[in-house]
Amino acid sequence: METGTAGTAGPAGARVEPVWTGLPRGLLKMRRLLLVAWLVPLAAAAGALLGLFAGPAWAAFALLPLAVVAWGWPMLGRNWRSWRYAERDDDLLISRGVLWREETVVPYGRMQLVEVTSGPVERHFGLASVQLHTAAAATDARIPGLLPEEAERLRDRLTELGEARSAGL
């Protein structure tokens, strides 16, 4: 993977933009499956219970979870596309958010711990997350849904760069 340097002047004073990396499509598939797995059975149970105890007209309220699925499906896609990260010379950038964009800059020299985690659902989809811990709790950052090989590569690279940058302090 290539890395870029944002904010520095390149040839002829041109600004060099960072090289952004998006998240794997498996994360989107996992989140959409979880959306459907939770809300479709909820809709079925609500429809059955409301129809049985309150009457068929009330069973129409069971369509609400299905409406949330219909709305959430494209929203999950938009959210997934908004996540990206870039490795620069001195720091790691993490960008996310659709309505409220959030960009986190984590200097390599401030990193204290980089861990790779993977819960049972993530492991089923072949995904892992990288959690970055710094001295300031407010700047802790997370990159979800990476392929395990990329998560381990990123952990090793960030740890190496963090040790190199903090050695000069």
Side-chain angles (χ1 to χ4, degrees):
M1 173 192 342
E2 297 178 37
T3 59
T5 308
T8 60
R15 200 167 174 84
V16 178
E17 289 298 317
V19 177
W20 292 100
T21 303
L23 300 182
R25 193 159 191 82
L27 178 65
L28 177 61
K29 291 178 183 177
M30 179 187 77
R31 288 179 173 173
R32 284 181 169 168
L33 177 69
L34 290 173
L35 176 75
V36 171
W38 281 101
L39 292 178
V40 169
L42 176 67
L49 291 173
L50 286 171
L52 184 63
F53 294 115
W58 287 95
F61 281 105
L63 296 175
L64 289 176
L66 297 179
V68 172
V69 169
W71 173 81
W73 192 272
M75 292 302 109
L76 286 172
R78 289 182 66 193
N79 179 269
W80 169 75
R81 282 188 299 278
S82 76
W83 276 86
R84 58 191 186 157
Y85 65 96
E87 300 172 60
R88 299 194 301 181
D89 291 339
D90 296 320
D91 50 32
L92 176 74
L93 297 175
I94 302 171
S95 179
R96 64 195 169 280
V98 177
L99 292 177
W100 287 272
R101 298 285 305 156
E102 186 174 331
E103 191 166 291
T104 303
V105 180
V106 184
Y108 296 135
R110 297 288 190 162
M111 289 183 203
Q112 293 184 329
L113 174 67
V114 181
E115 55 185 353
V116 175
T117 59
S118 185
V121 177
E122 283 180 310
R123 279 194 308 274
H124 177 77
F125 282 88
L127 301 172
S129 296
V130 173
Q131 179 77 36
L132 308 161
H133 300 278
T134 63
T139 58
D140 285 1
R142 181 173 180 264
I143 305 173
L146 296 172
L147 297 175
E149 303 81 31
E150 173 63 7
E152 291 171 9
R153 183 205 66 81
L154 193 58
R155 177 200 59 207
D156 294 344
R157 176 168 161 70
L158 295 176
T159 301
E160 179 184 311
L161 288 168
E163 289 172 355
R165 298 295 194 279
S166 65
L169 295 177

